[in-house]
Amino acid sequence: MERVAIIGASMTQFGQREAWIRDLLAEAGIAALEDAGVASDAVEHCYVANMSSGEFEGQGGIMNMLAHDLDLLPAYAQRVDQTSSSGGAGIYAAWQSVASGASEMTLLVGGEKMTHRTTGESTDIIASITHPEEYKHGVTLPSFAGMTARHYLERFDAPRESLGKVAVKNHKNGADNPHAQFRKEVDLETVLESPIVADPLRLYDFCPITDGSAGLVFCPESVAKEYADEYAVVAGVAGATDTHVVHERPDPTMMNGVVESGEAAYEMSGYGPEDVDVAELHDMFTILEFLQMEGLGFADHGEAWKRVEAGDTERDTGDLPINTSGGLKSKGHPLGASGVAQGVEIYEQLVGEAGPRQVDAEVGLCCNVGGFGNCVITTIMEVAA
Amino acid sequence: MERVAIIGASMTQFGQREAWIRDLLAEAGIAALEDAGVASDAVEHCYVANMSSGEFEGQGGIMNMLAHDLDLLPAYAQRVDQTSSSGGAGIYAAWQSVASGASEMTLLVGGEKMTHRTTGESTDIIASITHPEEYKHGVTLPSFAGMTARHYLERFDAPRESLGKVAVKNHKNGADNPHAQFRKEVDLETVLESPIVADPLRLYDFCPITDGSAGLVFCPESVAKEYADEYAVVAGVAGATDTHVVHERPDPTMMNGVVESGEAAYEMSGYGPEDVDVAELHDMFTILEFLQMEGLGFADHGEAWKRVEAGDTERDTGDLPINTSGGLKSKGHPLGASGVAQGVEIYEQLVGEAGPRQVDAEVGLCCNVGGFGNCVITTIMEVAA
């Protein structure tokens, strides 16, 4: 079977936007097609990764809206929802559309419009993806993160500062990303003294609420060669679920969805953790960066914090730069967009378009997490020419 | 490439159900796996076709819920939304998952829980999928149907009674479907004298608001042979979009999404309209059955009504039985479930499990319509052994 290539990428400004989901999707969609040099009438399938446009805006049918606005008709258009991993699921859907032979040119756009709602309203919408057996007791995603962080720090004798260093690193990277919501560095003291949200986690351990979108263009490798001298190919992609009821998991510090999707993606690609040159992990909370590093084999269980402390994940000096984009922490987290934006960063790193954030990379990985690890997608890309 | 088979099907009771979306999805999912003889741990991918669980129930993450309740972990789980054609899009997604090699056993469950909301609330949720440029003027899907029906009847000199006969036929078929919402026949007089909803269409020209779900199990044909002596294969499947703004279409009586998806599905299958033995069409409104018959080549433009008048689409006496299940009109229309339930009826007809509704069929077609033809999926199945 022919490999599936990625030949174009885009990302809108993330942050508080004076634009509706319709505008955001169109902005990223047009930019991705332009980046790929693909005309709208060449698009055969179009996927929109979005968690909750109905709840946030009262607008459904947004894939029809995008197909209409970008003049893609009669292209097939569908919305992909996998909660906060909708973007990664969109990558998987786009890959399947090309790999199955259903489409020779697939546009994926992920987006979410959130900031017009209050933080309380947004939190309620997001909490609706948790299991009602837990939500009825008032448990939200940040509280899962707080409990898990406390357990991790105590069990593995890890310093609180190591979590803070994730935030410092990702803000430093985000300062070089023109599309990031927060383009400013923060020091460790600021992180450690910010207001408590879910003890021991504080404000700077959490990603913000964000508007934004991102796009990717997929096609068979033989078609890619008509459009680009250098492109990326999806070497491996796989998804997995974990228990919807979080407290049923045997070990809260090991996310089985990460482990399972990672193992399957590695197997499909023929690569292992040691082959990955750059990674985008789902740092919705700083503790998640540790859990994904360990679940994906970048560190032994309980030891990710040591690699962070040692500087291994720093962009310019480490041997495994993580979240060169700034991550969700600094770049922002418009739910359905985030998994696609992870793919955009890895694509740009592989084809040498990452500007001041550029690292030396031939193989990259992204891991998109839905809920509190309820569903996870791992994608491995490599550069090709 | 190996063909994709369907080896099991299920449908819950449609109607007003004392059950939430979670219960409905689990009920159909368990029944589909049982029908296929597939153990839960064999499932690799799980798709949930659903339009609006967030808006109807305030519940997200329903694919995680289903994967959890059916003990499918760590199977991949994702929600497919394509408004009222979500079920057909689910068939396409399930097909792609198997055809791409991503999954060797895929469970698709489509469902929607609607009747706990008032008709006004449901209408608002459904209207949110139309284009805001038209919705702001108060145009809803039933009003599009009314205007289109008037235009059709006048332009093609078709009698009003021909539309009524679609409702009579589909109710007659639904009376033999134990899972249908309305298991009673109606006479033409009742249809023609029912209250006006959107002139010239009356109450009995419209499908009801419904709770329910349906399931299908997909795998490669080589795997199907391990599970079943007789099964169906997806011979062709394709989707297409039309303008989101309905009034931009050159001819309101010819749905381009139906034409495009039909032509592509025929081409993929090697069959033409003349080869189809039985069809399930999306009769959300009676006029849609005419438009799909014509768009799919079952009748010339403007002449579907003549075939209905001649009895060609009757179950027991016609040469092209349409909506043997009772259609959306009598069976009910739980949005995300309907496209899957169409597939269930065609599957059961092909493998000889349709009971009192059984017709003689080797090739069947279903056409699932989203919005007012905004997005359409056509699937062609054939029996295999």
Side-chain angles (χ1 to χ4, degrees):
Chain A
M1 192 172 70
E2 200 177 348
R3 297 196 299 179
V4 176
I6 299 178
I7 59 170
S10 71
M11 180 180 156
T12 69
Q13 180 64 52
F14 277 19
Q16 193 166 349
R17 295 288 306 272
E18 293 292 326
W20 295 105
I21 186 70
R22 176 182 177 185
D23 311 306
L24 293 171
L25 295 176
E27 186 183 339
I30 290 168
L33 292 178
E34 279 184 1
D35 187 56
V38 169
S40 58
D41 61 6
V43 175
E44 299 185 359
H45 279 212
C46 171
Y47 295 87
V48 171
N50 169 267
M51 176 174 135
S52 298
S53 70
E55 293 88 323
F56 279 113
E57 279 187 41
Q59 181 67 55
I62 56 175
M63 57 285 178
N64 290 114
M65 217 166 229
L66 181 66
H68 188 254
D69 289 344
L70 265 60
D71 204 13
L72 305 180
L73 308 189
Y76 178 71
Q78 186 221 297
R79 182 166 78 107
V80 172
D81 165 33
Q82 203 188 57
T83 69
S84 20
S85 55
S86 296
I91 290 176
Y92 201 15
W95 179 87
Q96 289 177 54
S97 77
V98 175
S100 67
S103 169
E104 289 228 319
M105 189 61 72
T106 295
L107 172 65
L108 165 66
V109 180
E112 209 89 34
K113 168 64 183 165
M114 307 170 70
T115 66
H116 61 294
R117 305 294 291 259
T118 65
T119 302
E121 288 170 347
S122 291
T123 301
D124 272 350
I125 291 170
I126 295 167
S128 79
I129 68 173
T130 60
H131 198 282
E133 295 299 316
E134 286 178 325
Y135 182 54
K136 74 181 180 190
H137 297 295
V139 187
T140 61
L141 295 182
S143 51
F144 282 128
M147 290 188 284
T148 304
R150 173 162 301 286
H151 181 76
Y152 183 98
L153 295 179
E154 290 186 0
R155 176 167 162 197
F156 299 117
D157 203 22
R160 173 64 184 87
E161 290 72 15
S162 63
L163 284 174
K165 287 176 183 171
V166 170
V168 171
K169 167 180 68 70
N170 293 351
H171 269 271
K172 188 175 169 196
N173 291 339
D176 286 329
N177 187 341
H179 296 117
Q181 182 165 9
F182 299 133
R183 290 196 65 187
K184 63 170 184 181
E185 297 194 32
V186 294
D187 59 23
L188 190 57
E189 194 179 5
T190 303
V191 175
L192 296 178
E193 292 181 1
S194 62
I196 287 179
V197 173
D199 190 42
L201 299 181
R202 293 166 181 262
L203 185 63
Y204 274 87
D205 289 293
F206 294 87
C207 70
I209 286 172
T210 311
D211 308 325
S213 66
L216 290 167
V217 180
F218 298 75
C219 62
E221 189 165 13
S222 59
V223 175
K225 291 181 187 298
E226 300 168 20
Y227 284 91
D229 294 330
E230 200 175 39
Y231 50 88
V233 295
V234 178
V237 56
T241 45
D242 201 347
T243 65
H244 198 190
V245 179
V246 174
H247 75 256
E248 289 181 1
R249 299 177 192 169
D251 183 347
T253 67
M254 185 51 70
M255 287 187 152
N256 201 45
V258 174
V259 174
E260 294 275 359
S261 71
E263 284 179 354
Y266 285 135
E267 187 185 338
M268 180 177 164
S269 71
Y271 292 117
E274 66 284 1
D275 300 310
V276 175
D277 300 313
V278 61
E280 289 283 303
L281 304 184
H282 192 95
D283 59 328
M284 186 177 183
F285 321 112
T286 50
I287 182 66
L288 285 188
E289 192 160 313
F290 287 180
L291 301 193
Q292 285 162 85
M293 286 177 67
E294 296 172 10
L296 292 165
F298 296 142
D300 289 337
H301 192 192
E303 303 209 337
W305 67 270
K306 294 181 183 171
R307 292 204 71 178
V308 171
E309 289 279 352
D312 294 350
T313 59
E314 296 286 333
R315 185 184 74 203
D316 298 326
T317 53
D319 60 354
L320 178 60
I322 289 179
N323 285 326
T324 54
S325 70
L328 280 54
K329 176 70 198 80
S330 148
K331 191 174 61 201
H333 182 24
L335 306 164
S338 287
V340 182
Q342 289 182 323
V344 170
E345 178 72 11
I346 295 300
Y347 169 83
E348 293 187 342
Q349 290 288 0
L350 294 177
V351 299
E353 295 179 358
R357 305 186 310 285
Q358 187 66 50
V359 298
D360 184 21
E362 294 190 351
V363 175
L365 175 150
C366 37
C367 186
N368 194 198
V369 174
F372 198 70
N374 305 354
C375 33
V376 183
I377 306 263
T378 302
T379 306
I380 299 169
M381 296 183 208
E382 63 182 308
V383 68
Chain B
M1 191 172 69
E2 199 176 348
R3 297 196 299 179
V4 176
I6 299 178
I7 59 170
S10 71
M11 179 181 157
T12 69
Q13 180 64 51
F14 277 20
Q16 193 165 349
R17 295 288 306 273
E18 293 293 326
W20 295 106
I21 186 70
R22 177 183 177 185
D23 311 305
L24 293 171
L25 295 176
E27 185 183 339
I30 290 167
L33 292 178
E34 280 184 0
D35 187 55
V38 168
S40 57
D41 61 5
V43 175
E44 299 185 359
H45 279 213
C46 171
Y47 295 87
V48 171
N50 169 267
M51 176 174 135
S52 299
S53 70
E55 293 88 322
F56 278 112
E57 279 187 41
Q59 180 66 55
I62 57 176
M63 57 286 176
N64 290 113
M65 217 166 229
L66 181 66
H68 185 138
D69 290 343
L70 265 61
D71 204 14
L72 305 180
L73 308 189
Y76 178 71
Q78 185 221 298
R79 180 167 79 108
V80 172
D81 164 34
Q82 202 190 58
T83 69
S84 20
S85 54
S86 295
I91 290 176
Y92 200 15
W95 178 86
Q96 289 177 54
S97 77
V98 175
S100 68
S103 168
E104 290 227 320
M105 190 61 73
T106 294
L107 172 65
L108 164 66
V109 181
E112 207 89 34
K113 168 64 184 166
M114 307 170 71
T115 66
H116 60 294
R117 304 296 290 262
T118 64
T119 302
E121 289 170 347
S122 291
T123 301
D124 271 352
I125 291 170
I126 295 168
S128 80
I129 68 172
T130 60
H131 198 282
E133 295 298 316
E134 287 177 326
Y135 182 54
K136 75 181 179 189
H137 298 294
V139 188
T140 61
L141 295 182
S143 50
F144 282 129
M147 291 188 283
T148 303
R150 174 162 300 286
H151 181 76
Y152 184 97
L153 295 179
E154 290 186 1
R155 176 167 161 197
F156 300 118
D157 203 22
R160 172 66 184 87
E161 289 72 14
S162 63
L163 284 173
K165 287 175 182 172
V166 170
V168 172
K169 166 180 70 70
N170 293 351
H171 270 271
K172 188 175 169 196
N173 291 339
D176 285 329
N177 187 339
H179 297 118
Q181 183 165 7
F182 299 133
R183 290 196 66 188
K184 63 170 184 183
E185 297 194 32
V186 294
D187 58 24
L188 190 57
E189 193 180 7
T190 304
V191 176
L192 296 179
E193 292 181 1
S194 62
I196 287 179
V197 173
D199 190 42
L201 299 181
R202 293 167 181 262
L203 185 63
Y204 274 87
D205 289 293
F206 294 87
C207 70
I209 286 172
T210 312
D211 307 326
S213 66
L216 289 168
V217 180
F218 298 75
C219 62
E221 190 165 13
S222 59
V223 176
K225 291 181 186 301
E226 300 169 20
Y227 284 92
D229 294 329
E230 200 175 39
Y231 49 89
V233 296
V234 178
V237 57
T241 45
D242 201 347
T243 65
H244 198 191
V245 180
V246 174
H247 75 257
E248 289 181 1
R249 298 177 193 168
D251 182 347
T253 66
M254 184 51 70
M255 286 187 151
N256 201 46
V258 174
V259 174
E260 295 275 358
S261 72
E263 284 178 356
Y266 285 135
E267 186 183 339
M268 179 178 164
S269 71
Y271 292 117
E274 66 284 0
D275 300 311
V276 175
D277 300 313
V278 60
E280 288 282 303
L281 304 184
H282 191 95
D283 58 329
M284 186 178 184
F285 321 112
T286 50
I287 182 67
L288 285 187
E289 193 161 311
F290 287 179
L291 301 193
Q292 285 162 84
M293 285 176 66
E294 296 172 11
L296 291 165
F298 296 142
D300 289 338
H301 191 192
E303 303 210 337
W305 66 271
K306 294 180 183 172
R307 292 204 70 178
V308 171
E309 290 278 352
D312 294 350
T313 59
E314 295 287 333
R315 185 184 76 202
D316 298 326
T317 53
D319 60 353
L320 177 61
I322 289 180
N323 285 326
T324 54
S325 70
L328 280 54
K329 176 71 199 80
S330 148
K331 192 175 61 202
H333 182 25
L335 305 163
S338 287
V340 182
Q342 288 182 324
V344 170
E345 179 71 12
I346 295 300
Y347 169 83
E348 293 187 343
Q349 290 287 0
L350 294 177
V351 301
E353 295 180 358
R357 304 185 311 285
Q358 186 67 50
V359 298
D360 184 21
E362 294 191 350
V363 176
L365 176 150
C366 37
C367 185
N368 194 198
V369 174
F372 198 70
N374 305 353
C375 33
V376 183
I377 307 263
T378 302
T379 306
I380 299 169
M381 297 182 206
E382 64 182 307
V383 67

